[in-house]
Amino acid sequence: KPGRPHAKMVARLSKNRKKRGHVSAGHGRVGKHRKHPSGRGNAGGQHMHRIMFDKFHPGFFGKVGMRYFHKTKQQFHRPTINIDKIWTLVSAETRKKYANAGPNDKVPVIDVNAAGYFKVLGKGKLPEQPVIVKAKFFSKDAEKKIKAVGGACVLVA
C-alpha cells in the first residue's frame, strides 16, 4: 500500500533463532539439507520419478493424434451464436414492429454474418414470431426451431 513500507518479519521471531548452536539445524547429519537433491521441477519423470508420474499423471509423456503441417487458423474460424440470442442482434423496436405479423406479412431479416457470426446453433427457445435468418451455417436443431416458429433459414456464402 502506498505510504507504508513493506512489513518485514522480526529476526528474533524467526524459527531458526531457536536452532542456533545446534549443528545441523534440524535437517539431519546423514541426509543433509542440500539444494535440489531430486532435480528441479518435473525432472526425472522418465527415470527416478517414473512411479509417481505413472501413478498420478498417466499419459503425461508421448504424442497423440496426427500432425497438421502449415495449419492456418482462418479456415477454421467459425464464431457461433445460439438462437436464444439471435433477437439481440436487432433492436427491440424491430421486434415489436413485427410482433403480430401474419403468414403473408413482412417479417424481419436477421443477418448474423453482419454481426460477425458464421454459424447458428440451436440452444434455447425462439419467441413465437416468424423470422428470416441469414447465416453461412445452421445446426439441425437451429434449423428445426427456426422453421417451427414459421421462419426461414437462408444460407449465405
Side-chain angles (χ1 to χ4, degrees), residues 8-78:
K8 275 190 172 176
M9 184 175 170
V10 189
R12 65 189 163 76
L13 298 177
S14 68
K15 197 171 189 178
N16 92 316
R17 297 309 306 163
K18 273 198 170 23
K19 309 276 186 166
R20 285 290 182 224
H22 301 275
V23 176
S24 303
H27 291 292
R29 282 173 188 269
V30 180
K32 299 183 197 63
H33 186 220
R34 294 274 163 83
K35 292 282 175 69
H36 295 277
S38 60
R40 296 175 191 242
N42 285 339
Q46 289 179 311
H47 308 285
M48 64 272 194
H49 298 152
R50 167 166 276 182
I51 287 173
M52 190 276 288
F53 271 78
D54 289 349
K55 187 175 179 182
F56 298 110
H57 308 286
F60 182 84
F61 295 105
K63 300 177 180 181
V64 66
M66 288 188 295
R67 293 185 298 169
Y68 192 123
F69 297 114
H70 193 60
K71 185 177 185 178
T72 50
K73 295 284 176 72
Q74 70 264 30
Q75 59 186 324
F76 299 104
H77 180 69
R78 192 174 291 189

Side-chain angles (χ1 to χ4, degrees), residues 126 130-131 140-154:
L126 270 178
V131 61
K140 284 181 189 171
D141 281 350
E143 197 171 355
K144 194 166 67 179
K145 289 179 182 180
I146 291 167
K147 288 178 177 171
V149 296
C153 299
V154 179

Side-chain angles (χ1 to χ4, degrees), residues 97-109 129-132:
K97 182 180 171 187
Y98 297 103
N100 40 19
N104 299 326
D105 298 336
K106 281 187 176 178
V107 293
V109 177
Q129 187 175 341
V131 61
I132 296 167

